[in-house]
Amino acid sequence: MKKLLLTVFAVFILVNLNAQEFRIVKGGVTDSLPVSAVPGESYALYVPRDYTPEKEWPIVFVFDPQGRGANTANLFRWAAEDQQYIIASSNIKLKEKPIDTIINTATSMMNEVLQTFPVDLELVYTAGMGEGAQVGSALPLIYKNMAGVLAVGNSFVNPNYLDKNHPYMFIGVAGNKDYMVYEMEDYLRFYDDLDFPTDIYYFDGKEDEWPNGPVISNALTGFTLEAIKKGKRPRDEEFIQRLFENEMEYAETLRRTREYYAAYQKLDRMQEKYEDFGFEESIEDKKKEIKKTSNYRSQKNDFRQAVAFEREQQREYEYLLGSDILSANFENIGWWAYQVDELEKLKKGEAEAKSNMAYRLLGYLDFVTKREFDEIMKSSAPVDIKIFISVLRTAIAKDDPEAYFKIISLATLDGDQETALLYLEDLLKTGYSDMESLYNIEGALELQFTPEYNAIVKKYLGESKFFNEKVN
């Protein structure tokens, strides 16, 4: 019985935070640990099963746009256990706070963790996705000894503040369906030009998505191997062999699922990554094997053709969008809607390169039209231009209520109730069901009291705020 109790207690450690004792689970995620300097903010923590305070550990600070600290820490769990990292994952909801508040909270969290846990201060890393990647890649400006940044789908780079005397490793991770994939490659070239160590990974995903655990684990091996090369982690040949075999297994999975070109690209990146560890020959043999497969060359050609077409489409979209906005050309809204429909068809096609390209182009159209929408709404542009970009947004992002609200507001203020009612119904056809917001649209108060407005709301939601039985 005594031995059993000792085993149970061994899975926990007690730490002192803010003059309070907290129980930390070893080999599991402990959530809601407070950031004492910023009341109301917290983070989740993962420490490996064999964690001990008697040695110093590498650490990764993780930032998720929605502040899903525990969920995100679990994504890093496999890598943390296998490669011996502590994971501190923020619960900051990045989309709801100004950037200066976010950086202040993130810095406070980092300082408190570094002061509380036995961390190797030369092996401090950040990781983030989307807005979280921007936060993570900005923190080396504050913490000068940062060893590396893992950025998923986005990054922050300011050449004026980058300290070239304190180089760190930059690992980019991009979804094959994410329109930001080329931006990530540009970030990589930027760091390559500065002679910072770099690496890049691709996964089957789109914008605002984390890759799965195996992809994250493979990416983190870049930090691990770089630390070994620099003598900051012990050179354990058995450990290095295991990391190599895990990555080779991932490449083999791509090959077995007939993603030959993706498997070749993966091996090509591995060749540089493992060049100092004696695996060059086995990687080269596997690359030759894949090149002999019948579909490798066709997949390679499909990929290159899709990329060339995509870049041309992006340039055309940018030019035509600017031209249509300046002239408020409502006649061309149908052309933009047709582009979206055609890309939606391509998304569902069997040709993977074209399907991924369609995902990226749709994401790109959403991005550029939202950017223009936000800028125009803040400006003193004429009402017809504001209505045009709003109508265009409903053609590009059919389920986004923001543009519908703006059309209802602008059309009402312009005395065009017919257009306002038309777009109210179009919004409700998308499945939108927040009745309270339908009665809080700026500038549409008088319209919201009309029988016509309430009849449409009742038709789709079953009730309305000011509906009465006399309404037909």
Side-chain angles (χ1 to χ4, degrees):
M1 184 64 174
K2 182 178 179 182
K3 184 177 181 181
L4 176 61
L5 286 172
L6 288 172
T7 303
V8 172
F9 286 128
V11 301
F12 301 109
I13 57 172
L14 295 176
V15 298
N16 192 282
L17 294 171
N18 319 326
Q20 297 180 63
E21 239 181 13
F22 288 84
R23 190 169 67 169
I24 306 296
V25 183
K26 295 206 292 185
V29 174
T30 306
D31 197 9
S32 302
L33 295 172
V35 180
S36 63
V38 188
E41 295 291 356
S42 65
Y43 61 95
L45 190 80
Y46 181 89
V47 297
R49 284 191 296 269
D50 58 352
Y51 171 86
T52 172
E54 275 69 52
K55 78 167 193 175
E56 293 183 336
W57 295 76
I59 189 168
V60 183
F61 290 96
V62 185
F63 299 93
D64 173 74
Q66 299 178 46
R68 299 168 295 188
N71 290 343
T72 310
N74 269 311
L75 280 176
F76 285 74
R77 184 175 188 156
W78 183 16
E81 199 64 54
D82 188 47
Q83 300 178 49
Q84 299 289 278
Y85 286 93
I86 294 174
I87 306 295
S89 185
S90 167
N91 286 321
I92 309 169
K93 294 182 179 179
L94 304 178
K95 295 178 182 287
E96 300 177 5
K97 300 180 184 298
I99 188 63
D100 54 341
T101 300
I102 291 168
I103 295 296
N104 178 62
T105 304
T107 306
S108 296
M109 182 189 93
M110 284 185 63
N111 289 336
E112 290 185 23
V113 172
L114 296 178
Q115 291 166 15
T116 304
F117 295 91
V119 171
D120 187 330
L121 298 180
E122 292 190 331
L123 298 176
V124 176
Y125 306 89
T126 66
M129 182 267 288
E131 292 91 341
Q134 292 182 312
V135 172
S137 55
L139 288 172
L141 304 179
I142 299 167
Y143 185 79
K144 295 297 186 180
N145 288 328
M146 194 72 72
V149 171
L150 188 153
V152 180
N154 212 326
S155 185
F156 169 83
V157 174
N158 189 326
N160 296 324
Y161 294 102
L162 197 66
D163 189 347
K164 298 175 185 178
N165 295 319
H166 291 87
Y168 52 86
M169 185 171 198
F170 179 84
I171 299 177
V173 184
N176 290 328
K177 298 177 174 65
D178 185 355
Y179 69 92
M180 284 291 292
V181 65
Y182 303 119
E183 290 289 328
M184 295 304 296
E185 291 172 353
D186 286 342
Y187 291 136
L188 207 75
R189 284 189 281 272
F190 170 80
Y191 282 107
D192 280 336
D193 289 343
L194 295 176
D195 289 329
F196 281 40
T198 62
D199 201 357
I200 190 164
Y201 286 81
Y202 300 93
F203 70 100
D204 186 24
K206 51 185 185 296
E207 64 269 20
D208 295 326
E209 285 185 359
W210 282 100
N212 61 25
V215 173
I216 288 173
S217 184
N218 282 342
L220 279 186
T221 58
F223 291 154
T224 303
L225 292 173
E226 186 68 17
I228 291 171
K229 289 177 186 177
K230 292 182 175 179
K232 294 179 179 179
R233 292 187 66 160
R235 186 176 177 118
D236 182 333
E237 298 299 336
E238 185 177 331
F239 173 60
I240 295 169
Q241 178 73 34
R242 190 173 75 247
L243 294 180
F244 173 73
E245 289 174 357
N246 285 343
E247 291 211 63
M248 285 295 281
E249 186 178 326
Y250 183 76
E252 178 62 14
T253 299
L254 292 172
R255 188 191 71 81
R256 286 179 178 271
T257 53
R258 299 178 182 175
E259 296 182 54
Y260 302 113
Y261 186 58
Y264 185 89
Q265 287 181 305
K266 167 69 178 172
L267 290 165
D268 206 34
R269 293 189 297 274
M270 283 181 63
Q271 200 159 26
E272 182 177 352
K273 182 175 180 179
Y274 285 92
E275 64 181 353
D276 295 333
F277 298 100
F279 297 109
E280 296 92 333
E281 189 173 334
S282 57
I283 294 174
E284 188 60 39
D285 289 344
K286 184 61 70 175
K287 285 171 64 179
K288 289 177 181 177
E289 181 183 325
I290 288 175
K291 285 184 77 171
K292 290 177 183 177
T293 58
S294 58
N295 287 333
Y296 165 77
R297 189 173 295 278
S298 64
Q299 288 181 4
K300 178 181 177 181
N301 290 336
D302 287 348
F303 174 81
R304 290 183 172 179
Q305 288 172 10
V307 168
F309 176 79
E310 180 180 359
R311 290 183 181 276
E312 181 60 34
Q313 282 296 100
Q314 285 188 356
R315 287 191 289 270
E316 183 179 16
Y317 288 155
E318 284 272 10
Y319 171 76
L320 293 176
L321 179 61
S323 176
D324 284 351
I325 289 172
L326 282 174
S327 59
N329 194 335
F330 286 90
E331 291 182 4
N332 283 345
I333 295 291
W335 183 85
W336 289 102
Y338 174 76
Q339 297 299 306
V340 171
D341 289 342
E342 290 300 298
L343 290 172
E344 288 289 351
K345 291 176 188 175
L346 271 181
K347 268 172 56 175
K348 300 169 185 174
E350 294 182 1
E352 185 177 17
K354 290 182 178 178
S355 175
N356 288 342
M357 176 203 69
Y359 272 101
R360 292 193 297 267
L361 281 174
L362 283 167
Y364 181 74
L365 276 176
D366 185 27
F367 166 73
V368 294
T369 56
K370 181 65 166 69
R371 180 192 66 198
E372 295 299 324
F373 175 87
D374 289 342
E375 288 299 317
I376 289 170
M377 290 310 154
K378 289 186 292 186
S379 74
S380 57
V383 68
D384 60 334
I385 289 180
K386 289 187 175 182
I387 292 178
F388 171 80
I389 191 63
S390 301
V391 173
L392 180 59
R393 279 294 294 160
T394 65
I396 302 296
K398 296 180 176 67
D399 295 331
D400 183 356
E402 185 179 19
Y404 294 92
F405 287 160
K406 189 56 69 173
I407 295 170
I408 294 167
S409 172
L410 291 168
T412 303
L413 291 169
D414 203 37
D416 186 358
Q417 289 195 358
E418 185 178 347
T419 295
L421 292 172
L422 174 66
Y423 277 88
L424 168 66
E425 186 157 16
D426 284 348
L427 170 61
L428 291 169
K429 283 178 181 177
T430 69
Y432 189 79
S433 60
D434 184 352
M435 185 187 296
E436 197 60 36
S437 67
L438 295 175
Y439 289 90
N440 283 288
I441 298 174
E442 183 183 0
L445 181 61
E446 184 177 341
L447 179 66
Q448 291 158 9
F449 279 101
T450 64
E452 293 82 5
Y453 192 95
N454 286 275
I456 293 171
V457 173
K458 184 172 182 180
K459 176 182 175 181
Y460 289 92
L461 301 187
E463 60 178 333
S464 63
K465 201 164 185 180
F466 306 115
F467 186 85
N468 61 68
E469 293 302 325
K470 292 181 181 179
V471 178
N472 294 318

